[in-house]
Amino acid sequence: MSDLLQRLRGRGWRLTAQRRVVAEVLDGDHVHLTADEVHARAAARLPEISRATVYNTLGELVSIGEVIEVSTDGRAKRYDPNAHRPHQHLVCSRCGTIRDVHPSGDPLAHLPSSERFGFTVSEVEVTYRGLCPNCATA
Amino acid sequence: MSDLLQRLRGRGWRLTAQRRVVAEVLDGDHVHLTADEVHARAAARLPEISRATVYNTLGELVSIGEVIEVSTDGRAKRYDPNAHRPHQHLVCSRCGTIRDVHPSGDPLAHLPSSERFGFTVSEVEVTYRGLCPNCATA
DNA sequence: TCCTACACTAGACAGAGTCTAAGTCAAGAT
DNA sequence: ATCTTGACTTAGACTCTGTCTAGTGTAGGA
Ligand SMILES: [Mn+2]
Ligand SMILES: [Mn+2]
Ligand SMILES: [Zn+2]
Ligand SMILES: [Zn+2]
């Protein structure tokens, strides 16, 4: 994630302890944390970090395209550092586990122009739901 | 929508004025109202209806499969009476308009088993985003 | 080392949804 | 037609998620 910190410095961001910690918390694969989960993990390293700063930093990371916002459950949004490789999500309906899955072709192509009603379609979001191996056996 | 009321009676529901009005408000095509929008329209006909009853009724309609919950914007959930024909949504990123679109094949088939990680996948939700004709010209 | 614009904090506020306790009424029973 | 009763409705408190503001702190250039 230190390459992320480099990119942020390149954009003129001040590298504060708070931003560093948020970036560290978001490091890894299949990371889809809510803002409050990010705050809890960040606060474990930097106890005085505020919720507002976590929300601000996440919002900034989203607006520059370093992090993606995912709404899989209509409750809290989740923040996904896997922003540089297009992907979709596979969600367990029972335990909420989220896995990244990678499309074979371009899912946008699956909408024929006869079904576009004059819209200029530029994005598509796909969420698959089912039971994960753990929840299926239980 | 009176066939819906018949089906509800068949399930042993008491047919109250409140439930009748909620069902009437949800009648139509491309209807994707938030709970508070449903409440406002219902209250125009039945002023004393409470928010709790609207939430209760919508939740019941969802749990018996007569209405679908749609979360297109990470804000309020929307309630969609078009529950008997599988479809997806096309959303304008500027004005929020939502149109129903109908898939050509089964979108579930687009996830190869090598990308299912042992999940039993049973549903897929697809949201296309772009600009509607009005917003594209403006 | 100093300066200051940018960043951070605590807490108030707002929107969406849930829950509870008390009152009401639809519809089956008499 | 009236009674009875458990399902239904209500108001409002409460929770969760997210936004905003006023005051304080500090990163990093001069
Ligand atoms: Mn992801
Ligand atoms: Mn729809
Ligand atoms: Zn699971
Ligand atoms: Zn539009």
PDB file of all heavy atoms in Angstrom, chain B residues 29-63:
ATOM      1  N   ASP B  29     -46.411   0.597 -13.684  1.00  0.00           N
ATOM      2  CA  ASP B  29     -45.146   0.141 -14.272  1.00  0.00           C
ATOM      3  C   ASP B  29     -44.018   1.094 -13.909  1.00  0.00           C
ATOM      4  O   ASP B  29     -44.235   2.292 -13.738  1.00  0.00           O
ATOM      5  CB  ASP B  29     -45.281   0.099 -15.802  1.00  0.00           C
ATOM      6  CG  ASP B  29     -46.122  -1.095 -16.245  1.00  0.00           C
ATOM      7  OD1 ASP B  29     -46.118  -2.109 -15.520  1.00  0.00           O
ATOM      8  OD2 ASP B  29     -46.789  -0.995 -17.302  1.00  0.00           O
ATOM      9  N   HIS B  30     -42.812   0.559 -13.840  1.00  0.00           N
ATOM     10  CA  HIS B  30     -41.630   1.357 -13.507  1.00  0.00           C
ATOM     11  C   HIS B  30     -41.820   2.104 -12.195  1.00  0.00           C
ATOM     12  O   HIS B  30     -41.364   3.234 -12.036  1.00  0.00           O
ATOM     13  CB  HIS B  30     -41.284   2.343 -14.628  1.00  0.00           C
ATOM     14  CG  HIS B  30     -41.012   1.661 -15.933  1.00  0.00           C
ATOM     15  ND1 HIS B  30     -39.825   1.019 -16.199  1.00  0.00           N
ATOM     16  CD2 HIS B  30     -41.775   1.488 -17.032  1.00  0.00           C
ATOM     17  CE1 HIS B  30     -39.861   0.505 -17.405  1.00  0.00           C
ATOM     18  NE2 HIS B  30     -41.049   0.767 -17.935  1.00  0.00           N
ATOM     19  N   VAL B  31     -42.508   1.482 -11.254  1.00  0.00           N
ATOM     20  CA  VAL B  31     -42.707   2.086  -9.935  1.00  0.00           C
ATOM     21  C   VAL B  31     -41.568   1.631  -9.035  1.00  0.00           C
ATOM     22  O   VAL B  31     -41.350   0.422  -8.870  1.00  0.00           O
ATOM     23  CB  VAL B  31     -44.072   1.651  -9.351  1.00  0.00           C
ATOM     24  CG1 VAL B  31     -44.170   2.053  -7.893  1.00  0.00           C
ATOM     25  CG2 VAL B  31     -45.209   2.260 -10.152  1.00  0.00           C
ATOM     26  N   HIS B  32     -40.822   2.582  -8.509  1.00  0.00           N
ATOM     27  CA  HIS B  32     -39.685   2.258  -7.630  1.00  0.00           C
ATOM     28  C   HIS B  32     -39.633   3.330  -6.558  1.00  0.00           C
ATOM     29  O   HIS B  32     -38.753   4.192  -6.552  1.00  0.00           O
ATOM     30  CB  HIS B  32     -38.365   2.246  -8.415  1.00  0.00           C
ATOM     31  CG  HIS B  32     -38.355   1.285  -9.567  1.00  0.00           C
ATOM     32  ND1 HIS B  32     -38.624   1.660 -10.854  1.00  0.00           N
ATOM     33  CD2 HIS B  32     -38.126  -0.057  -9.610  1.00  0.00           C
ATOM     34  CE1 HIS B  32     -38.547   0.599 -11.652  1.00  0.00           C
ATOM     35  NE2 HIS B  32     -38.253  -0.455 -10.924  1.00  0.00           N
ATOM     36  N   LEU B  33     -40.592   3.278  -5.632  1.00  0.00           N
ATOM     37  CA  LEU B  33     -40.731   4.328  -4.627  1.00  0.00           C
ATOM     38  C   LEU B  33     -39.986   3.971  -3.347  1.00  0.00           C
ATOM     39  O   LEU B  33     -39.886   2.804  -2.988  1.00  0.00           O
ATOM     40  CB  LEU B  33     -42.213   4.514  -4.298  1.00  0.00           C
ATOM     41  CG  LEU B  33     -43.114   4.969  -5.443  1.00  0.00           C
ATOM     42  CD1 LEU B  33     -44.586   4.866  -5.034  1.00  0.00           C
ATOM     43  CD2 LEU B  33     -42.784   6.407  -5.841  1.00  0.00           C
ATOM     44  N   THR B  34     -39.504   4.990  -2.641  1.00  0.00           N
ATOM     45  CA  THR B  34     -38.946   4.753  -1.310  1.00  0.00           C
ATOM     46  C   THR B  34     -40.109   4.575  -0.333  1.00  0.00           C
ATOM     47  O   THR B  34     -41.253   4.946  -0.626  1.00  0.00           O
ATOM     48  CB  THR B  34     -38.111   5.943  -0.830  1.00  0.00           C
ATOM     49  OG1 THR B  34     -38.965   7.075  -0.666  1.00  0.00           O
ATOM     50  CG2 THR B  34     -37.011   6.283  -1.817  1.00  0.00           C
ATOM     51  N   ALA B  35     -39.793   4.050   0.856  1.00  0.00           N
ATOM     52  CA  ALA B  35     -40.829   3.858   1.865  1.00  0.00           C
ATOM     53  C   ALA B  35     -41.486   5.194   2.215  1.00  0.00           C
ATOM     54  O   ALA B  35     -42.711   5.262   2.365  1.00  0.00           O
ATOM     55  CB  ALA B  35     -40.222   3.220   3.120  1.00  0.00           C
ATOM     56  N   ASP B  36     -40.688   6.259   2.301  1.00  0.00           N
ATOM     57  CA  ASP B  36     -41.302   7.537   2.664  1.00  0.00           C
ATOM     58  C   ASP B  36     -42.144   8.108   1.536  1.00  0.00           C
ATOM     59  O   ASP B  36     -43.139   8.786   1.782  1.00  0.00           O
ATOM     60  CB  ASP B  36     -40.244   8.537   3.144  1.00  0.00           C
ATOM     61  CG  ASP B  36     -39.887   8.292   4.622  1.00  0.00           C
ATOM     62  OD1 ASP B  36     -40.714   7.683   5.345  1.00  0.00           O
ATOM     63  OD2 ASP B  36     -38.799   8.695   5.057  1.00  0.00           O
ATOM     64  N   GLU B  37     -41.767   7.816   0.277  1.00  0.00           N
ATOM     65  CA  GLU B  37     -42.626   8.226  -0.832  1.00  0.00           C
ATOM     66  C   GLU B  37     -43.948   7.456  -0.798  1.00  0.00           C
ATOM     67  O   GLU B  37     -45.017   8.030  -1.015  1.00  0.00           O
ATOM     68  CB  GLU B  37     -41.909   8.013  -2.171  1.00  0.00           C
ATOM     69  CG  GLU B  37     -40.796   9.027  -2.417  1.00  0.00           C
ATOM     70  CD  GLU B  37     -39.858   8.637  -3.558  1.00  0.00           C
ATOM     71  OE1 GLU B  37     -39.969   7.488  -4.072  1.00  0.00           O
ATOM     72  OE2 GLU B  37     -39.012   9.457  -3.931  1.00  0.00           O
ATOM     73  N   VAL B  38     -43.864   6.169  -0.525  1.00  0.00           N
ATOM     74  CA  VAL B  38     -45.095   5.387  -0.394  1.00  0.00           C
ATOM     75  C   VAL B  38     -45.942   5.973   0.730  1.00  0.00           C
ATOM     76  O   VAL B  38     -47.159   6.156   0.581  1.00  0.00           O
ATOM     77  CB  VAL B  38     -44.776   3.898  -0.112  1.00  0.00           C
ATOM     78  CG1 VAL B  38     -46.057   3.135   0.228  1.00  0.00           C
ATOM     79  CG2 VAL B  38     -44.077   3.262  -1.302  1.00  0.00           C
ATOM     80  N   HIS B  39     -45.285   6.306   1.841  1.00  0.00           N
ATOM     81  CA  HIS B  39     -46.030   6.864   2.962  1.00  0.00           C
ATOM     82  C   HIS B  39     -46.719   8.173   2.575  1.00  0.00           C
ATOM     83  O   HIS B  39     -47.891   8.388   2.883  1.00  0.00           O
ATOM     84  CB  HIS B  39     -45.116   7.091   4.163  1.00  0.00           C
ATOM     85  CG  HIS B  39     -45.844   7.679   5.337  1.00  0.00           C
ATOM     86  ND1 HIS B  39     -45.519   8.914   5.868  1.00  0.00           N
ATOM     87  CD2 HIS B  39     -46.892   7.228   6.060  1.00  0.00           C
ATOM     88  CE1 HIS B  39     -46.347   9.165   6.870  1.00  0.00           C
ATOM     89  NE2 HIS B  39     -47.178   8.169   7.013  1.00  0.00           N
ATOM     90  N   ALA B  40     -46.002   9.045   1.878  1.00  0.00           N
ATOM     91  CA  ALA B  40     -46.582  10.334   1.502  1.00  0.00           C
ATOM     92  C   ALA B  40     -47.800  10.137   0.605  1.00  0.00           C
ATOM     93  O   ALA B  40     -48.845  10.753   0.814  1.00  0.00           O
ATOM     94  CB  ALA B  40     -45.528  11.195   0.795  1.00  0.00           C
ATOM     95  N   ARG B  41     -47.685   9.254  -0.393  1.00  0.00           N
ATOM     96  CA  ARG B  41     -48.813   9.045  -1.303  1.00  0.00           C
ATOM     97  C   ARG B  41     -49.971   8.344  -0.609  1.00  0.00           C
ATOM     98  O   ARG B  41     -51.133   8.627  -0.881  1.00  0.00           O
ATOM     99  CB  ARG B  41     -48.372   8.215  -2.507  1.00  0.00           C
ATOM    100  CG  ARG B  41     -47.301   8.966  -3.298  1.00  0.00           C
ATOM    101  CD  ARG B  41     -46.990   8.274  -4.582  1.00  0.00           C
ATOM    102  NE  ARG B  41     -45.848   8.955  -5.212  1.00  0.00           N
ATOM    103  CZ  ARG B  41     -45.516   8.841  -6.474  1.00  0.00           C
ATOM    104  NH1 ARG B  41     -46.240   8.074  -7.265  1.00  0.00           N
ATOM    105  NH2 ARG B  41     -44.481   9.487  -6.971  1.00  0.00           N
ATOM    106  N   ALA B  42     -49.637   7.428   0.294  1.00  0.00           N
ATOM    107  CA  ALA B  42     -50.696   6.732   1.020  1.00  0.00           C
ATOM    108  C   ALA B  42     -51.411   7.729   1.935  1.00  0.00           C
ATOM    109  O   ALA B  42     -52.645   7.700   2.049  1.00  0.00           O
ATOM    110  CB  ALA B  42     -50.108   5.583   1.831  1.00  0.00           C
ATOM    111  N   ALA B  43     -50.640   8.627   2.549  1.00  0.00           N
ATOM    112  CA  ALA B  43     -51.241   9.579   3.487  1.00  0.00           C
ATOM    113  C   ALA B  43     -52.138  10.578   2.773  1.00  0.00           C
ATOM    114  O   ALA B  43     -53.026  11.169   3.390  1.00  0.00           O
ATOM    115  CB  ALA B  43     -50.149  10.310   4.269  1.00  0.00           C
ATOM    116  N   ALA B  44     -51.921  10.765   1.453  1.00  0.00           N
ATOM    117  CA  ALA B  44     -52.803  11.657   0.709  1.00  0.00           C
ATOM    118  C   ALA B  44     -54.218  11.077   0.654  1.00  0.00           C
ATOM    119  O   ALA B  44     -55.199  11.812   0.580  1.00  0.00           O
ATOM    120  CB  ALA B  44     -52.262  11.878  -0.706  1.00  0.00           C
ATOM    121  N   ARG B  45     -54.326   9.756   0.694  1.00  0.00           N
ATOM    122  CA  ARG B  45     -55.630   9.114   0.653  1.00  0.00           C
ATOM    123  C   ARG B  45     -56.150   8.758   2.036  1.00  0.00           C
ATOM    124  O   ARG B  45     -57.355   8.611   2.234  1.00  0.00           O
ATOM    125  CB  ARG B  45     -55.551   7.801  -0.134  1.00  0.00           C
ATOM    126  CG  ARG B  45     -55.257   7.991  -1.621  1.00  0.00           C
ATOM    127  CD  ARG B  45     -54.756   6.661  -2.187  1.00  0.00           C
ATOM    128  NE  ARG B  45     -54.706   6.684  -3.638  1.00  0.00           N
ATOM    129  CZ  ARG B  45     -55.632   6.125  -4.431  1.00  0.00           C
ATOM    130  NH1 ARG B  45     -56.646   5.485  -3.901  1.00  0.00           N
ATOM    131  NH2 ARG B  45     -55.509   6.195  -5.736  1.00  0.00           N
ATOM    132  N   LEU B  46     -55.232   8.527   2.953  1.00  0.00           N
ATOM    133  CA  LEU B  46     -55.607   8.018   4.271  1.00  0.00           C
ATOM    134  C   LEU B  46     -54.684   8.721   5.271  1.00  0.00           C
ATOM    135  O   LEU B  46     -53.669   8.165   5.697  1.00  0.00           O
ATOM    136  CB  LEU B  46     -55.379   6.500   4.302  1.00  0.00           C
ATOM    137  CG  LEU B  46     -55.884   5.720   5.499  1.00  0.00           C
ATOM    138  CD1 LEU B  46     -57.408   5.717   5.538  1.00  0.00           C
ATOM    139  CD2 LEU B  46     -55.340   4.292   5.457  1.00  0.00           C
ATOM    140  N   PRO B  47     -55.032   9.944   5.664  1.00  0.00           N
ATOM    141  CA  PRO B  47     -54.097  10.832   6.371  1.00  0.00           C
ATOM    142  C   PRO B  47     -53.500  10.256   7.643  1.00  0.00           C
ATOM    143  O   PRO B  47     -52.380  10.599   7.999  1.00  0.00           O
ATOM    144  CB  PRO B  47     -54.965  12.058   6.687  1.00  0.00           C
ATOM    145  CG  PRO B  47     -56.020  12.051   5.652  1.00  0.00           C
ATOM    146  CD  PRO B  47     -56.309  10.609   5.389  1.00  0.00           C
ATOM    147  N   GLU B  48     -54.225   9.367   8.322  1.00  0.00           N
ATOM    148  CA  GLU B  48     -53.711   8.920   9.611  1.00  0.00           C
ATOM    149  C   GLU B  48     -52.779   7.716   9.516  1.00  0.00           C
ATOM    150  O   GLU B  48     -52.343   7.214  10.548  1.00  0.00           O
ATOM    151  CB  GLU B  48     -54.883   8.615  10.559  1.00  0.00           C
ATOM    152  CG  GLU B  48     -55.712   7.410  10.143  1.00  0.00           C
ATOM    153  CD  GLU B  48     -56.801   7.753   9.120  1.00  0.00           C
ATOM    154  OE1 GLU B  48     -56.648   8.788   8.428  1.00  0.00           O
ATOM    155  OE2 GLU B  48     -57.767   6.987   9.008  1.00  0.00           O
ATOM    156  N   ILE B  49     -52.467   7.253   8.309  1.00  0.00           N
ATOM    157  CA  ILE B  49     -51.594   6.069   8.209  1.00  0.00           C
ATOM    158  C   ILE B  49     -50.198   6.404   8.731  1.00  0.00           C
ATOM    159  O   ILE B  49     -49.662   7.480   8.471  1.00  0.00           O
ATOM    160  CB  ILE B  49     -51.540   5.541   6.760  1.00  0.00           C
ATOM    161  CG1 ILE B  49     -50.865   4.171   6.717  1.00  0.00           C
ATOM    162  CG2 ILE B  49     -50.841   6.524   5.844  1.00  0.00           C
ATOM    163  CD1 ILE B  49     -50.929   3.496   5.349  1.00  0.00           C
ATOM    164  N   SER B  50     -49.631   5.485   9.482  1.00  0.00           N
ATOM    165  CA  SER B  50     -48.332   5.765  10.109  1.00  0.00           C
ATOM    166  C   SER B  50     -47.176   5.193   9.292  1.00  0.00           C
ATOM    167  O   SER B  50     -47.357   4.276   8.491  1.00  0.00           O
ATOM    168  CB  SER B  50     -48.281   5.159  11.510  1.00  0.00           C
ATOM    169  OG  SER B  50     -48.182   3.762  11.429  1.00  0.00           O
ATOM    170  N   ARG B  51     -45.997   5.768   9.521  1.00  0.00           N
ATOM    171  CA  ARG B  51     -44.787   5.274   8.864  1.00  0.00           C
ATOM    172  C   ARG B  51     -44.553   3.815   9.227  1.00  0.00           C
ATOM    173  O   ARG B  51     -44.178   3.003   8.388  1.00  0.00           O
ATOM    174  CB  ARG B  51     -43.576   6.108   9.291  1.00  0.00           C
ATOM    175  CG  ARG B  51     -43.390   7.379   8.491  1.00  0.00           C
ATOM    176  CD  ARG B  51     -42.057   8.127   8.790  1.00  0.00           C
ATOM    177  NE  ARG B  51     -41.251   7.534   9.806  1.00  0.00           N
ATOM    178  CZ  ARG B  51     -40.016   7.062   9.611  1.00  0.00           C
ATOM    179  NH1 ARG B  51     -39.445   7.158   8.451  1.00  0.00           N
ATOM    180  NH2 ARG B  51     -39.358   6.524  10.610  1.00  0.00           N
ATOM    181  N   ALA B  52     -44.775   3.467  10.493  1.00  0.00           N
ATOM    182  CA  ALA B  52     -44.507   2.087  10.922  1.00  0.00           C
ATOM    183  C   ALA B  52     -45.345   1.099  10.131  1.00  0.00           C
ATOM    184  O   ALA B  52     -44.855   0.039   9.725  1.00  0.00           O
ATOM    185  CB  ALA B  52     -44.766   1.943  12.418  1.00  0.00           C
ATOM    186  N   THR B  53     -46.605   1.443   9.874  1.00  0.00           N
ATOM    187  CA  THR B  53     -47.466   0.533   9.118  1.00  0.00           C
ATOM    188  C   THR B  53     -46.986   0.395   7.685  1.00  0.00           C
ATOM    189  O   THR B  53     -46.991  -0.708   7.124  1.00  0.00           O
ATOM    190  CB  THR B  53     -48.928   1.019   9.156  1.00  0.00           C
ATOM    191  OG1 THR B  53     -49.388   0.878  10.495  1.00  0.00           O
ATOM    192  CG2 THR B  53     -49.806   0.213   8.232  1.00  0.00           C
ATOM    193  N   VAL B  54     -46.547   1.510   7.091  1.00  0.00           N
ATOM    194  CA  VAL B  54     -46.031   1.417   5.733  1.00  0.00           C
ATOM    195  C   VAL B  54     -44.809   0.510   5.714  1.00  0.00           C
ATOM    196  O   VAL B  54     -44.704  -0.406   4.877  1.00  0.00           O
ATOM    197  CB  VAL B  54     -45.698   2.822   5.182  1.00  0.00           C
ATOM    198  CG1 VAL B  54     -44.945   2.711   3.864  1.00  0.00           C
ATOM    199  CG2 VAL B  54     -46.982   3.617   5.005  1.00  0.00           C
ATOM    200  N   TYR B  55     -43.865   0.704   6.641  1.00  0.00           N
ATOM    201  CA  TYR B  55     -42.693  -0.169   6.699  1.00  0.00           C
ATOM    202  C   TYR B  55     -43.105  -1.618   6.937  1.00  0.00           C
ATOM    203  O   TYR B  55     -42.578  -2.541   6.310  1.00  0.00           O
ATOM    204  CB  TYR B  55     -41.728   0.292   7.795  1.00  0.00           C
ATOM    205  CG  TYR B  55     -40.763   1.358   7.334  1.00  0.00           C
ATOM    206  CD1 TYR B  55     -40.953   2.692   7.658  1.00  0.00           C
ATOM    207  CD2 TYR B  55     -39.658   1.021   6.561  1.00  0.00           C
ATOM    208  CE1 TYR B  55     -40.059   3.674   7.236  1.00  0.00           C
ATOM    209  CE2 TYR B  55     -38.764   1.991   6.134  1.00  0.00           C
ATOM    210  CZ  TYR B  55     -38.964   3.316   6.470  1.00  0.00           C
ATOM    211  OH  TYR B  55     -38.086   4.275   6.042  1.00  0.00           O
ATOM    212  N   ASN B  56     -44.041  -1.841   7.855  1.00  0.00           N
ATOM    213  CA  ASN B  56     -44.480  -3.214   8.125  1.00  0.00           C
ATOM    214  C   ASN B  56     -45.069  -3.851   6.878  1.00  0.00           C
ATOM    215  O   ASN B  56     -44.718  -4.984   6.522  1.00  0.00           O
ATOM    216  CB  ASN B  56     -45.531  -3.223   9.234  1.00  0.00           C
ATOM    217  CG  ASN B  56     -44.922  -2.984  10.603  1.00  0.00           C
ATOM    218  OD1 ASN B  56     -43.709  -3.120  10.785  1.00  0.00           O
ATOM    219  ND2 ASN B  56     -45.750  -2.597  11.558  1.00  0.00           N
ATOM    220  N   THR B  57     -45.968  -3.135   6.215  1.00  0.00           N
ATOM    221  CA  THR B  57     -46.646  -3.704   5.048  1.00  0.00           C
ATOM    222  C   THR B  57     -45.651  -3.974   3.928  1.00  0.00           C
ATOM    223  O   THR B  57     -45.671  -5.049   3.311  1.00  0.00           O
ATOM    224  CB  THR B  57     -47.760  -2.751   4.572  1.00  0.00           C
ATOM    225  OG1 THR B  57     -48.631  -2.490   5.672  1.00  0.00           O
ATOM    226  CG2 THR B  57     -48.543  -3.360   3.436  1.00  0.00           C
ATOM    227  N   LEU B  58     -44.760  -3.017   3.678  1.00  0.00           N
ATOM    228  CA  LEU B  58     -43.766  -3.241   2.628  1.00  0.00           C
ATOM    229  C   LEU B  58     -42.912  -4.458   2.967  1.00  0.00           C
ATOM    230  O   LEU B  58     -42.651  -5.307   2.105  1.00  0.00           O
ATOM    231  CB  LEU B  58     -42.880  -1.992   2.469  1.00  0.00           C
ATOM    232  CG  LEU B  58     -43.587  -0.765   1.879  1.00  0.00           C
ATOM    233  CD1 LEU B  58     -42.675   0.451   1.930  1.00  0.00           C
ATOM    234  CD2 LEU B  58     -44.013  -1.035   0.433  1.00  0.00           C
ATOM    235  N   GLY B  59     -42.494  -4.572   4.221  1.00  0.00           N
ATOM    236  CA  GLY B  59     -41.669  -5.715   4.618  1.00  0.00           C
ATOM    237  C   GLY B  59     -42.403  -7.031   4.415  1.00  0.00           C
ATOM    238  O   GLY B  59     -41.821  -8.019   3.948  1.00  0.00           O
ATOM    239  N   GLU B  60     -43.697  -7.043   4.712  1.00  0.00           N
ATOM    240  CA  GLU B  60     -44.488  -8.258   4.520  1.00  0.00           C
ATOM    241  C   GLU B  60     -44.618  -8.587   3.040  1.00  0.00           C
ATOM    242  O   GLU B  60     -44.460  -9.742   2.629  1.00  0.00           O
ATOM    243  CB  GLU B  60     -45.884  -8.072   5.140  1.00  0.00           C
ATOM    244  CG  GLU B  60     -45.848  -8.013   6.670  1.00  0.00           C
ATOM    245  CD  GLU B  60     -47.088  -7.362   7.280  1.00  0.00           C
ATOM    246  OE1 GLU B  60     -47.925  -6.811   6.514  1.00  0.00           O
ATOM    247  OE2 GLU B  60     -47.227  -7.403   8.518  1.00  0.00           O
ATOM    248  N   LEU B  61     -44.899  -7.575   2.232  1.00  0.00           N
ATOM    249  CA  LEU B  61     -45.023  -7.807   0.789  1.00  0.00           C
ATOM    250  C   LEU B  61     -43.711  -8.342   0.222  1.00  0.00           C
ATOM    251  O   LEU B  61     -43.710  -9.233  -0.644  1.00  0.00           O
ATOM    252  CB  LEU B  61     -45.428  -6.507   0.078  1.00  0.00           C
ATOM    253  CG  LEU B  61     -46.872  -6.058   0.345  1.00  0.00           C
ATOM    254  CD1 LEU B  61     -47.116  -4.647  -0.173  1.00  0.00           C
ATOM    255  CD2 LEU B  61     -47.858  -7.037  -0.293  1.00  0.00           C
ATOM    256  N   VAL B  62     -42.589  -7.828   0.719  1.00  0.00           N
ATOM    257  CA  VAL B  62     -41.300  -8.332   0.251  1.00  0.00           C
ATOM    258  C   VAL B  62     -41.116  -9.783   0.678  1.00  0.00           C
ATOM    259  O   VAL B  62     -40.718 -10.635  -0.125  1.00  0.00           O
ATOM    260  CB  VAL B  62     -40.144  -7.460   0.797  1.00  0.00           C
ATOM    261  CG1 VAL B  62     -38.798  -8.141   0.560  1.00  0.00           C
ATOM    262  CG2 VAL B  62     -40.169  -6.081   0.139  1.00  0.00           C
ATOM    263  N   SER B  63     -41.470 -10.089   1.939  1.00  0.00           N
ATOM    264  CA  SER B  63     -41.168 -11.443   2.423  1.00  0.00           C
ATOM    265  C   SER B  63     -42.020 -12.506   1.742  1.00  0.00           C
ATOM    266  O   SER B  63     -41.601 -13.658   1.664  1.00  0.00           O
ATOM    267  CB  SER B  63     -41.321 -11.514   3.942  1.00  0.00           C
ATOM    268  OG  SER B  63     -42.688 -11.527   4.276  1.00  0.00           O
TER     269      SER B  63
END
